[in-house]
Amino acid sequence: MSNTPASQDPEDRFTRLRLGYHTSLLRPGEQVPFGHVLFAAVTVGCAPADVVSRLTALGYTDIELPDIPLPPTVTRQDALLLKADTYNLSWIKLDEPVSLRNLVVSAGEQGLSPAEAARRLTVFGCTVPAGHPLPETPDSRDIVLIRTDPKGDGTFLDWDAEASPRHVFRVAHELRCNPHTVATRLLALGVRLPYTPEPEDELLLADSGAHLGHVVTVARETGRDVADIMARLKELGADRPGTVPDSLEADDLRLISEELDGRRPWLKVNNVVGVQLRHILRAALATGRTPADTAARLAELGHWLHENAKLPQVADPEDIRLLETVDRSFLDGVHLEHVLHSASLTGRSPADVASRLAELGYRLPDEVDYPEVCGASHG
């Protein structure tokens, strides 16, 4: 057996400390971390000075200590503030500034606010390089805010690092919160942003879809110009509507709302097959416009009708009911099974359904003979 302090006293509670599955084990010739001293004091139930004396007697003369007097007592919570955020039981070094990562992890694990954790670490001789007051409210999500790798095993933002708008939106999506909440908390933690958060950003970023309806609604609620709202969205790195008209008309919000009530949910822009014909017909009936006028205005608002579609001169509720049974776009072929399905739901004959769909611009095979007999309606 080697003649070392550890082998002379292998059961000594001062040299081997356990926390869950991890162990803080002292080795001869290596410096004793100050965090180990404090945690040993808690574990054994004595003063930190007594731990230092015991370790010195065991031959551990290189002990990391602060330049200030040792505290007479220490709590488990305070001792664990010095635990480094690693995969083993290691400790924050006194001669290195506390990283933002270690601060928020320690604060989160101990249920403290970053400000309180920083104050307590400073009492123990640690250096917390925050350049301004830290948040006084605890939030265990802070570590997610500064994590740059979504998988959690990458790098972390540190003091005075700059978070990109993309980072802000990614974190907001992960935490399911408003990007403004992420931005203001990051700023409070000492992370820089390429913009200064403003109170109205919370309202502006409440709809992540960047729909024109949301932009117009916010403009009206805040008294700001639509152009000003668009400029702010760009500055925040947020998605923006692709089309914004030079001037707004009274019923624009109704036209681009799915329920035609001028409120969310807003009509989604479909850049593949365009707006649904049935929405145009419903909007025409709701606003008193003609289908052609409705389609033209929706196109100016970013919702175009596919070129294969054929607009009727008037909006007919029967057409709307028929279109509600069709799940094919104007790029798709409408086959016999689709016709029979619509016929069964509307009570119209397959021949009538096929004829009307063709008149509205849908592609149907020429070689099919559709029955003239009406089926039973399930609608």
Side-chain angles (χ1 to χ4, degrees):
M1 181 177 295
S2 61
N3 186 24
T4 64
S7 64
Q8 291 171 5
D9 193 2
E11 302 299 326
D12 197 289
R13 295 175 295 169
F14 291 88
T15 61
R16 183 188 298 267
L17 307 176
R18 292 192 61 83
L19 181 63
Y21 294 103
H22 302 296
T23 302
S24 180
L25 177 63
L26 299 185
R27 292 180 173 84
E30 295 182 2
Q31 186 181 58
V32 178
F34 182 53
H36 182 101
V37 172
L38 296 183
F39 195 56
V42 172
T43 303
V44 178
C46 64
D50 294 333
V51 175
V52 174
S53 297
R54 178 60 176 167
L55 291 175
T56 301
L58 290 172
Y60 294 94
T61 57
D62 185 8
I63 302 176
E64 181 186 39
L65 296 174
D67 295 330
I68 56 179
L70 292 175
T73 60
V74 63
T75 66
R76 179 182 176 88
Q77 183 185 54
D78 284 339
L80 290 179
L81 280 176
L82 274 78
K83 185 171 72 68
D85 182 32
T86 58
Y87 293 107
N88 53 21
L89 186 53
S90 58
W91 307 97
I92 295 173
K93 295 182 178 297
L94 293 181
D95 60 354
E96 297 178 1
V98 178
S99 69
L100 180 58
R101 171 186 176 181
N102 275 327
L103 176 71
V104 299
V105 168
S106 295
E109 290 181 349
Q110 302 308 315
L112 301 174
S113 70
E116 179 61 21
R119 285 192 290 267
R120 295 193 185 190
L121 285 169
T122 302
V123 167
F124 291 119
C126 296
T127 301
V128 180
H132 58 81
L134 291 166
E136 294 286 354
T137 55
D139 195 332
S140 60
R141 303 175 302 174
D142 284 342
I143 187 61
V144 180
L145 266 64
I146 66 171
R147 188 173 62 202
T148 58
D149 185 347
K151 296 181 181 179
D153 55 359
T155 58
F156 293 79
L157 297 171
D158 209 345
W159 307 104
D160 205 37
E162 181 170 290
S164 67
R166 181 179 180 181
H167 175 87
V168 172
F169 283 98
R170 179 187 62 76
V171 172
H173 177 75
E174 183 177 352
L175 296 179
R176 297 182 180 181
C177 65
N178 193 298
H180 178 66
T181 302
V182 174
T184 53
R185 185 71 177 188
L186 282 172
L187 203 63
L189 288 172
V191 176
R192 292 182 294 107
L193 296 167
Y195 57 85
T196 301
E198 299 173 356
E200 287 184 353
D201 291 344
E202 184 173 11
L203 176 60
L204 187 56
L205 297 174
D207 190 333
S208 59
H211 299 289
L212 176 61
H214 175 68
V215 172
V216 174
T217 300
V218 171
R220 291 180 176 178
E221 290 181 3
T222 61
R224 298 168 67 174
D225 294 334
V226 170
D228 181 39
I229 298 293
M230 292 289 288
R232 183 58 179 171
L233 284 172
K234 182 179 180 180
E235 186 177 10
L236 295 173
D239 292 334
R240 305 181 299 283
T243 303
V244 178
D246 295 332
S247 60
L248 297 171
E249 298 181 5
D251 54 5
D252 281 345
L253 288 181
R254 295 189 66 187
L255 291 175
I256 59 177
S257 58
E258 290 188 4
E259 302 301 326
L260 300 170
D261 55 4
R263 296 191 296 270
R264 298 177 62 184
W266 304 109
L267 193 64
K268 295 180 180 179
V269 175
N270 190 320
N271 290 319
V272 179
V273 296
V275 65
Q276 293 179 333
L277 177 57
R278 69 170 178 266
H279 180 83
I280 290 178
L281 300 183
R282 289 175 59 239
L285 288 177
T287 61
R289 293 173 178 256
T290 65
D293 184 35
T294 303
R297 185 54 184 169
L298 278 169
E300 293 172 348
L301 297 172
H303 301 273
W304 49 270
L305 180 63
H306 196 274
E307 60 182 6
N308 292 345
K310 298 177 182 177
L311 277 171
Q313 292 187 352
V314 296
D316 187 341
E318 289 301 315
D319 283 340
I320 297 173
R321 187 184 179 201
L322 173 61
L323 292 171
E324 288 174 344
T325 68
V326 179
D327 61 357
R328 312 293 284 174
S329 76
F330 287 103
L331 289 175
D332 302 321
V334 177
H335 303 292
L336 176 60
E337 63 268 25
H338 306 125
V339 172
L340 295 178
H341 176 73
S342 294
S344 69
L345 293 176
T346 60
R348 300 167 70 163
S349 71
D352 184 30
V353 168
S355 174
R356 188 54 181 163
L357 289 178
E359 292 171 352
L360 294 174
Y362 285 95
R363 294 187 293 109
L364 288 84
D366 297 331
E367 65 275 9
V368 178
D369 292 326
Y370 298 97
E372 298 283 353
V373 180
C374 296
S377 174
H378 300 289

